[in-house]
Structures are given as structure tokens and as C-alpha cells.
Amino acid sequence: MNAVIALTDVLRDPRVWRGSADAVVLATEPTGYAALDAVLPGHGWPKHALSEILFEADGIGELGLILPTLARLTQTERAVVLVGSPYLPYPLALAAQGINLRHLHLIDATGREALWASEQCLRSGACAAVVCWPLQANERALRRLQVAAESGHALGFVFRASSAARNPSPAPLRLQLALHASGTTLNILKCRGGRVPTQVLSLRSARRA
């Protein structure tokens, strides 16, 4: 016969999510975009977790979405690592956005090597944030990154094509950027700790506070 486990013992397990709003206190990092913070649970990027950003085409604002956060982290002398960037970052442009280049590191890798490098950086405990562009990443690979971000207490950002939206993901936060005639819009597909907001934000109007 299976042992009977008291409900109170089950609820003490930190892995059990409790629906009461009072019981959920999310640790977050402000995005730098007032309108986005206003609709996200905890009002920012979930700390020690993976945030997935899906986008339709290069250059529609995907990197700009996280630059305020990366700038703030590097200005406090915390390490930020970019893994597998599809383009060579332009130092002067990043510096103009407030990035302290002394604390920004680049890793040139693709495919499995990019996933491996991202996981090691996230898990190291030495990086405040790790940004990666895996060309292909299945649910298992993303789960490894999520676990690494938790154990290394780092922010993880993964950029992927919008077509990945139809696949499941363990990332606590999933955002999707789309290009329209009026500009780039931002839609929240998934967020841990609260209901998924229904409104679609204009990236331009959501600009930093």
C-alpha cells in the first residue's frame, strides 16, 4: 500500500506552485519598458530563468528589447555574454545604448556548441545575463538552459524564429515580436505567475521609461 502523504507536507515543497496571489512573489529584473513592465507578473524579466523572444525577421527590435537591461547590468560591472550572435555587434552602437563594453563578452558558436556554451555560462554563477541565438533548440535543450539559469542565478534570453511559437517551451516567459505597417508589435504568449495579458503592445509606445 502506498504511504499516505499529508497535504501540508506537500504544500511545503517549494516546487509546488500555489494559486494564491499572496503566495507568489516573483523576483524580477525591470525591462526598462514601462508598458511591458506594467503587464508582466512581477513587473519585469523573471530572474534566474529563461525568457524566450520570438521574432519574424532580423532587426525588428528584438535586441533593443533587452538592451536597457543589459546596459543596467554592465554598468554595475556584472558580466553579460552574447552567444552565437548572427551579426557582429557594433561596439559604438552598443556603447551609445549604455552598454559598458568592459563587461560584455562574445562567444562565436553555432548549433550544439552555442547551446553548450550558453548552458555553461548560465550555470557558472559568474554571468548576470546570457543571450543566445540557437539556430535549432528542442524542448529538451531549452529545459537544460532553464535549469542552468536557475542554478546559476542568471537571466537567460533566447532569440528564436516566430515559427517556434507552435512548439512547447519550458521558458517561464515567451514574447513574440511581429512586424506590421504601423511598426513592431509585442505579444506575450506565456508568463509564469499570472494570467497571460491579452493586449498587444506597440514596441514603439512601450519604449523605456
Side-chain angles (χ1 to χ4, degrees), residues 18 31 50 53 57 79 84 86 138 146-147 151 189 200:
R18 303 177 65 173
T31 67
L50 199 64
I53 300 172
N138 57 25
Q146 166 61 21
V147 172
S151 60
L189 304 179
V200 176

Side-chain angles (χ1 to χ4, degrees), residues 28-90:
T28 59
E29 186 76 32
T31 67
Y33 289 78
L36 179 57
D37 285 347
V39 297
L40 287 176
H43 309 297
W45 305 113
K47 281 187 173 180
H48 316 159
L50 199 64
S51 293
E52 191 177 1
I53 300 172
L54 310 174
F55 59 102
E56 288 185 340
D58 291 347
I60 65 172
E62 69 276 13
L63 186 58
L65 185 60
I66 64 171
L67 281 181
T69 302
L70 302 188
R72 189 169 57 253
L73 294 175
T74 57
Q75 288 168 9
T76 55
E77 301 185 348
R78 302 172 68 188
V80 171
V81 182
L82 309 184
V83 182
S85 172
Y87 304 101
L88 186 63
Y90 186 49

